[in-house]
Amino acid sequence: MASRPRGAAEPDGERELLSSGDVARTIARMAHQVIEKTALGAESGDLPVLLGIPTRGTPLADRLAARIAEFAGVAPPTGALDITLYRDDLRRRPPRPLASTQLPVTGIDDRVVILVDDVLFSGRTVRAALDALRDHGRPRSVQLAVLVDRGHREFPIRADYVGKNVPTSRAEEVHVLVSEVDGRDAVVLRGKGESV
Amino acid sequence: MKHLLATDGLEPALATAVLDTADELKRTLLGREVRKLPTLRGRTVITLFYENSTRTRVSFEIAGKWMSADVINVSSSASSVSKGESLRDTALTLAAAGADCVIIRHPASGAAQRLAGWLDEAGTAVVNAGDGMHEHPTQALLDAATLRERLGTLDGRRVAIVGDVLHSRVARSNIHLLTALGAEVVLVAPPTLLPPGVEALPVTVSHELDAELPGVDAVMMLRVQAERMHGGFFPSAREYSIAYGLSEQRLKMLPEHAVVLHPGPMLRGMEIASAVADAPSSAITEQVRNGVHVRMAVLYHLLAGEDEK
């Protein structure tokens, strides 16, 4: 990918907050934090389960797990948790297609579950994810990892691991791009609103 | 999607979206602790059945309940219908009482369409659960889901629909849906049990079951609907069974991968031999299982979205 000065405006009013290299470094740092916080090591017992929230949380969970495996020598199981059926805004939009939910064969009962998503905004997605988890089993505890926290919470929800805090205005949009879905890795800010 | 009345004219993209949703629902419900989703909480679904039914009514009821909708069953014999209330008044009563969706089965072809016309203004969705000899769209969708699961795709697959096509709403819905999804359909029946206007349907017609079996990927056996037959459509049940029943010998003529479907209720020994119904190539119980997920998907696409107006 062509290198571009950080924060340089692009023709379509898009500003890059994290480059592909930044995304990789951020995930590596989050992996270290997970290892530290969950006291992961070769002789630890039950590994935490990383559940990505589709669409982009799923590849992020896989990458986080890969880095954890690299640094700690143990690979935590990963999966995907679709929350579409648990959303509280279903009546406000046309029906959406469902994404797949895949829990690791180990299940989630009595495990530490780490939910992984790209952007933390209102907190509604996470609330829906907590409801969905409850129907799949009873984790020992649930933690949250997000690549970007952009503020404007509407629920008493906070993340345990944050890649980058980005103060934003509501008019702006934060997009996390991952190569598995979007063809490249980046975090970009789109839309008008006051500069940050 | 506002109503689901027929597969004739149903957009292939929409049908595929419903089938994909059903697949995901099946996967997500598999082996989980709580088989209940909060998606349709606060929605009211009423099943209004003017004809007897086991699997369709139960399947819709389970589908609604697993999505957390409130499901109320009305049957004609236990309601004011038996006092002479018209279909229109019954429908308007149900809508006024707060139904978000009415699922109707009725002996008259076109009943669901009329109902949808009356309930449009109230914003109540209508699902056709079988109207006379016209259509039964959710049955066709669950058949398509089962075939996709077993065969991978419908595109280019050949499906024989065998037996009483004339009286079969299941056959009609399947002809439209399966061909829209890219399958070839061949109808196999005696001339007396083919519908008038069959030339206009996107199908080929055969009277020789044995000639068709080796070349199909699936065979769908239809029940002989004696209750709709007034007069002689074939000489005797035994003769029908010999000519058009799926016997064990005929099962061996099918390709290895071929799937046997039956919409139920089955008449074992008539259109299908008992051993064939229970054979590994039979997907009859899977059809019932998929029926719940397909109907959940239909309710999702009708009720989970944006409120109309």
Side-chain angles (χ1 to χ4, degrees):
Chain A
M1 204 182 71
S3 69
R4 202 182 288 125
R6 181 88 44 87
E10 284 175 42
D12 56 350
E14 180 177 297
R15 207 156 62 84
E16 188 172 279
L17 300 173
L18 296 181
S19 68
S20 123
D22 295 335
V23 170
R25 274 188 292 280
T26 304
I27 292 173
R29 184 167 47 75
M30 291 170 74
H32 282 296
Q33 289 170 346
V34 171
I35 293 166
E36 191 182 330
K37 182 155 176 161
T38 58
L40 259 182
E43 62 276 8
S44 51
D46 277 352
L47 295 166
V49 174
L50 270 57
L51 291 183
I53 299 174
T55 309
R56 290 170 185 76
T58 316
L60 289 175
D62 289 336
R63 290 196 206 175
L64 192 54
R67 302 319 293 271
I68 291 169
E70 195 180 310
F71 303 142
V74 285
T78 62
L81 183 71
D82 182 46
I83 54 106
T84 310
L85 297 163
Y86 294 84
R87 299 189 71 97
D88 60 5
D89 61 353
L90 284 170
R91 287 194 191 191
R92 296 169 181 229
R93 307 187 188 207
R96 316 153 175 253
L98 307 184
S100 71
T101 291
Q102 263 153 359
L103 297 189
V105 284
T106 54
I108 57 166
D109 283 339
D110 297 319
R111 309 287 286 245
V112 174
V113 169
I114 304 178
L115 295 171
V116 183
D117 203 2
D118 52 356
V119 179
L120 179 57
F121 184 22
S122 64
R124 287 180 190 268
T125 302
V126 177
R127 184 212 57 83
L130 291 172
D131 284 355
L133 265 188
R134 208 176 60 138
D135 287 351
H136 286 282
R138 186 181 184 280
R140 180 151 51 90
S141 69
V142 182
Q143 300 177 356
L144 175 63
V146 295
L147 194 63
V148 175
D149 182 348
R150 61 165 294 189
H152 303 290
R153 213 78 73 241
E154 294 163 9
F155 282 99
I157 281 169
R158 57 160 183 79
D160 299 89
Y161 314 100
V162 178
K164 185 175 173 64
N165 280 295
V166 181
T168 57
S169 86
R170 278 182 180 273
E172 291 165 321
E173 291 177 10
V174 175
H175 293 275
V176 170
L177 309 179
V178 293
S179 53
E180 292 90 330
V181 181
D182 309 288
R184 66 173 174 129
D185 284 353
V187 176
V188 298
L189 187 69
R190 285 179 196 152
K192 35 224 166 282
E194 68 273 33
S195 65
V196 289
Chain B
M1 193 158 63
K2 212 167 168 192
H3 306 291
L4 178 63
L5 304 175
T7 57
D8 188 8
L10 185 66
E11 284 292 323
L14 182 55
T16 304
V18 171
L19 293 175
D20 289 345
T21 301
D23 285 350
E24 285 303 341
L25 286 166
K26 181 173 185 171
R27 215 165 311 155
T28 193
L29 288 170
L30 196 75
R32 58 194 266 160
E33 205 158 272
V34 180
R35 270 194 303 190
K36 201 161 180 97
L37 301 161
T39 318
L40 298 181
R41 223 153 45 96
R43 298 283 183 150
T44 302
V45 173
I46 297 186
T47 67
L48 176 59
F49 274 52
Y50 287 81
E51 268 184 23
N52 297 333
S53 161
T54 311
R55 76 208 76 238
T56 306
R57 198 191 59 70
V58 168
S59 176
F60 268 114
E61 183 171 356
I62 292 176
K65 287 186 168 165
W66 282 3
M67 303 281 273
S68 299
D70 295 304
V71 183
I72 293 155
N73 298 310
V74 179
S75 68
S76 56
S77 58
S79 64
S80 287
V81 171
S82 61
K83 300 177 192 164
E85 189 174 50
S86 73
L87 176 62
R88 182 169 184 272
D89 287 334
T90 303
L92 293 177
T93 301
L94 298 180
D100 295 299
C101 177
V102 174
I103 295 160
I104 182 171
R105 165 162 293 187
H106 199 281
S109 305
Q113 182 74 49
R114 294 303 305 272
L115 196 71
W118 296 321
L119 294 182
D120 234 15
E121 214 173 309
T124 304
V126 174
V127 178
N128 182 3
D131 59 334
M133 305 192 296
H134 176 225
E135 284 233 29
H136 189 357
T138 57
Q139 176 70 42
L141 284 165
L142 75 87
D143 291 336
T146 309
L147 290 174
R148 277 201 341 172
E149 197 173 72
R150 283 270 187 125
L151 301 174
T153 175
L154 280 164
D155 199 30
R157 301 307 172 123
R158 190 169 167 85
V159 181
I161 301 180
V162 184
D164 186 359
V165 179
L166 172 62
H167 299 104
S168 178
R169 52 198 177 206
V170 174
R172 215 169 311 268
S173 286
N174 265 303
I175 289 167
H176 293 299
L177 183 66
L178 298 181
T179 53
L181 295 176
E184 284 173 56
V185 173
V186 52
L187 304 180
V188 185
T192 49
L193 289 177
L194 284 168
V198 69
E199 327 66 62
L201 293 171
V203 296
T204 48
V205 173
S206 164
H207 306 305
E208 291 291 331
L209 183 53
D210 290 348
E212 297 298 330
L213 289 176
V216 298
D217 300 290
V219 50
M220 184 180 296
M221 303 308 298
L222 300 173
R223 181 174 63 91
V224 176
Q225 302 197 31
E227 76 276 18
R228 295 188 210 276
M229 290 185 187
H230 311 286
F233 287 89
F234 45 82
S236 73
R238 195 177 132 72
E239 209 160 313
Y240 176 87
S241 182
I242 290 169
Y244 293 100
L246 192 60
S247 60
E248 282 182 88
Q249 291 83 342
R250 286 204 169 109
L251 184 65
K252 294 192 190 111
M253 298 167 69
L254 284 167
E256 189 107 14
H257 69 275
V259 189
V260 176
L261 301 177
H262 194 300
M266 278 187 280
L267 301 176
R268 286 174 187 253
M270 177 76 172
E271 69 269 359
I272 188 164
S274 197
V276 175
D278 302 326
S281 47
S282 156
I284 296 169
T285 46
E286 273 164 65
Q287 285 176 278
V288 177
R289 203 170 301 129
N290 290 334
V292 176
H293 303 123
V294 160
R295 290 176 175 118
M296 289 173 80
V298 167
L299 292 176
Y300 174 72
H301 282 267
L302 285 172
L303 298 178
E306 214 167 356
D307 280 320
E308 298 282 340
K309 279 168 278 182

